[in-house]
Amino acid sequence: MAFDTADQATADHATTGNIAADRLKSIVERIERLEEERKALASDIKDIYSEAKSAGFDVKVLRQLIRMRKQEPAEVEEQEMLIDVYRRALGMA
């Protein structure tokens, strides 16, 4: 007896397990949806940086400030102190 494509699909579905296959499909679709949202957000952020640049702001400095705002104040203070020490050691101060 030969399997037709419908029989094969049913056999494959039964082999993988209906619940597992449905769960996998759901997870993949959610990841794909979030990837699209991330792409849209990245585009929005790029537009805001362009706006900041056209307003005369230094984008590199803005990125650094945003990175620093994510850190704990003690971490920022320690980094700034080390930068100052390194600058003086290199004769840059």
Side-chain angles (χ1 to χ4, degrees):
M1 178 170 127
F3 280 100
D4 65 10
T5 55
D7 290 338
Q8 184 63 45
T10 302
D12 289 345
H13 199 60
T15 303
T16 59
N18 186 21
I19 295 172
D22 291 344
R23 176 71 182 201
L24 177 61
K25 183 178 178 184
S26 171
I27 289 170
V28 169
E29 288 171 349
R30 287 171 37 214
I31 291 170
E32 290 171 340
R33 189 171 39 256
L34 290 171
E35 290 288 344
E36 286 299 315
E37 289 178 26
R38 180 175 24 191
K39 194 184 312 181
L41 288 172
S43 177
D44 291 347
I45 291 169
K46 182 180 176 183
D47 291 345
I48 294 170
Y49 278 117
S50 293
E51 177 185 337
K53 185 175 182 177
S54 68
F57 295 105
D58 187 313
V59 172
K60 285 171 137 178
V61 174
L62 284 174
R63 289 183 190 277
Q64 188 174 8
L65 285 171
I66 290 168
R67 202 171 30 253
M68 289 170 69
R69 286 171 55 105
K70 292 177 184 177
Q71 297 175 329
E72 293 294 321
E75 290 178 64
V76 174
E77 186 177 332
E78 182 180 345
Q79 285 179 358
E80 289 175 345
M81 183 184 69
L82 283 172
I83 288 171
D84 188 50
V85 169
Y86 291 0
R87 281 185 181 154
R88 280 188 266 133
L90 295 171
M92 297 173 62

